[in-house]
Amino acid sequence: MRIRSLTAVAVAAAVVATAALTGCSAGNQVPGGDVALGTSNDINPQPREAIRDGGNLRLATTEFPPNWNTLSNDGNNLEIARIVWPMMPRAFTTDAAGQLSVDRDYFTDVRLTGTDPQQVTYTINPKAVWTDGTPITWADIAAQADALSGRDKRFLIAVTSGFDRVEKVERGVDDRQAVITFKQHYAEWQGQFAGNSMLFPKSVTGNPESFNHGLVDHITETAGPFKVRSTDRTQGRIVLERNPRWWGETPKLDTITISVLDQAAWPAALQNNELDAAQLYSISDLATVRGAAGMTIRRAPGTLWRHLTFNGAPGAVLADPKLRVAISKAIDRQTIVNAISNGLENDPKPLGNHIYVRGQQGYRDNNPPFDPDAAARELDALGWRLEGDVRVKDGRRLEIRDVMYNNDVWVKVAQIIQQNLARIGVKVIIDPRPGQNIFSDVFIPGDFDLAQFQWQGDAFPLSGVPQIYAYHPDDVQGNFGRIGSPELNELIDRTLSELDPQRAIELANEVDRAVFAEGFSLPLTQDPGNYGVRADIANFGAPGMASYDYTKIGFTK
């Protein structure tokens, strides 16, 4: 599943000092040297006996959740997911290499029990209960599968997670076992209740009203080591506490407090001992935290990545895929990457894939070349003729709005694009917007020609492919630019139907090249994964591809 990042929209590369735009100064060494995704994480690993009981972990978020249901289009946001992760079941945990293990707190067994037809059996831990005391059963799995199937368009889902391929969900040997039978093979069956896809109770997923609106103001039943103690939208504060019904290892922390705070203030809050950990996005962030007493910088590249999405909806100025491809060739991504990432990682390069991030098995650099001369020739051939400084066709000027959160660095990226495209006669209008509700009010409705935000991947990259790159006019999901074709849909379908992992990788890269050929979007950078963390915090920091064990996070003795 791909989950969009509002933190990254709001901060992207954060407020970058001049050094970040002109090169890395001698005093701004890249933290941690060369580190690759899939090789390690940086979380200060400690055994439980080395961690003291109690304590409050102070974290930050940039907005109060507009919807706590991360399966919904309104709630499909990384910041919300990070709040909900300690409270909701997932079928698998991942290590730094992205290797999977069944999360035995929730499931005693999850396995593929048939291939013709494909069948997966989930055996639920008999101790697992929701916070109201209700057992977690096969009915919760069945309700979520039905909600995400896409059959009932009243469910405003963010992603189908392969449930559109499910024929039925049945009770197994008892209420604690669910048997999922597929009508069509699904390559990434392990990700249906894992990664960024969490299991919600049937009270949420059982009908469209509760799914869409039931968690708008608060979250109801949860089932993790933590639960919500209190929320205060006015003060911008969420407090999680130990779940007294939790059946697993007792969490070391007493509470986790999440405060709504503008990202630009995170480094100073770390420095002033008002936060315990936060992600860092700029050289100035790093400099602030390096000089703070009791703080350390942890680094492991993650699966968050920045990109530019085009709007190809009917009637949009960029509706023609040949026009989008031509314009793409004139955008100098290396200059953008240098502006964003110099000083944050060694030798930064543009991300070259829409499906896999660098370090994941399957990553291939499928980037088309930067070639503004070819772009100009192609615009000529398409009938866009220069009239003064701007091209015109059939009386329509080639002017495009680049929409982003009103943040210095996203605006700086837009300025680079503006300069690039001015050279070939394309006028870019920079259109910054407030961050609150930017997805629901701007990106999802398609109020842009070019949009800047980020996607967060996980160990299940294929599940996000139909969510974003397939196009069905009555089911947008994550395809905010309304771009696609029946041929691309068919290729995506074949990829997701391939149970051979290596063949699935080959097909996924065919999909990626086809996405580039559609002029769908341009990947820019992969998150270098820098975090400021208080030095005495254990088992928390820069996770890379690994999932956290929230029962082991705490302060060392």
Side-chain angles (χ1 to χ4, degrees), residues 137-161:
T137 72
W138 76 277
D140 296 300
I141 290 175
Q144 186 155 317
D146 183 64
L148 300 186
S149 69
R151 289 188 293 268
D152 187 339
K153 301 306 179 187
R154 293 176 300 166
F155 287 92
L156 303 180
I157 62 174
V159 58
T160 60
S161 294

Side-chain angles (χ1 to χ4, degrees), residues 244-320:
R245 293 189 184 273
W246 174 245
W247 56 94
E249 292 271 14
T250 301
K252 286 294 185 176
L253 292 168
D254 288 322
T255 54
I256 301 172
T257 299
I258 303 105
S259 299
V260 176
L261 187 64
D262 190 275
Q263 191 279 330
W266 291 4
L270 290 170
Q271 184 181 50
N272 296 333
N273 197 20
E274 296 166 355
L275 292 177
D276 293 313
Q279 195 160 3
L280 307 175
Y281 294 94
S282 74
I283 292 173
S284 58
D285 290 352
L286 293 171
T288 298
V289 173
R290 276 199 180 101
M295 295 300 301
T296 187
I297 293 171
R298 304 203 180 279
R299 180 182 176 227
T303 55
L304 190 66
W305 52 280
R306 303 177 181 90
H307 76 286
L308 315 172
T309 279
F310 290 96
N311 188 346
V317 66
L318 300 178
D320 183 353

Side-chain angles (χ1 to χ4, degrees), residues 153 164 466 469-477 479 482-485 489-490 492:
K153 301 306 179 187
D164 55 332
Y469 306 114
Y471 180 48
H472 304 283
D474 61 343
D475 187 14
V476 171
Q477 294 189 39
N479 189 341
R482 280 79 170 167
I483 292 171
S485 67
N489 285 358
E490 194 277 332
I492 290 170

Side-chain angles (χ1 to χ4, degrees), residues 12-90:
V15 181
V16 176
T18 303
L21 302 176
T22 59
C24 182
S25 67
N28 291 321
Q29 298 89 359
V30 174
D34 287 316
V35 186
L37 181 73
T39 60
S40 64
N41 58 7
D42 189 2
I43 61 169
N44 186 24
Q46 299 290 334
R48 288 181 61 85
E49 56 269 22
I51 304 166
R52 64 180 174 89
D53 291 325
N56 174 44
L57 180 67
R58 299 166 299 171
L59 306 175
T61 187
T62 60
E63 70 166 349
F64 201 90
N67 191 330
W68 294 72
N69 180 5
T70 60
L71 304 174
S72 72
N73 225 346
D74 286 344
N76 180 39
N77 182 289
L78 178 59
E79 288 198 284
I80 303 171
R82 285 173 169 168
I83 297 170
V84 175
W85 281 339
M87 300 188 288
M88 283 298 187
R90 288 184 282 182

Side-chain angles (χ1 to χ4, degrees), residues 70-71 84 87-91 106-107 124 130 136-145 163 192-194 196-202 205 221-223:
T70 60
L71 304 174
V84 175
M87 300 188 288
M88 283 298 187
R90 288 184 282 182
Y106 297 109
F107 297 93
I124 302 165
W130 300 108
I136 299 174
T137 72
W138 76 277
D140 296 300
I141 290 175
Q144 186 155 317
F163 289 111
Q192 290 190 299
F193 298 103
N196 291 320
S197 296
M198 291 165 273
L199 175 62
F200 281 75
K202 63 183 179 182
T205 58
E221 293 85 10
T222 57

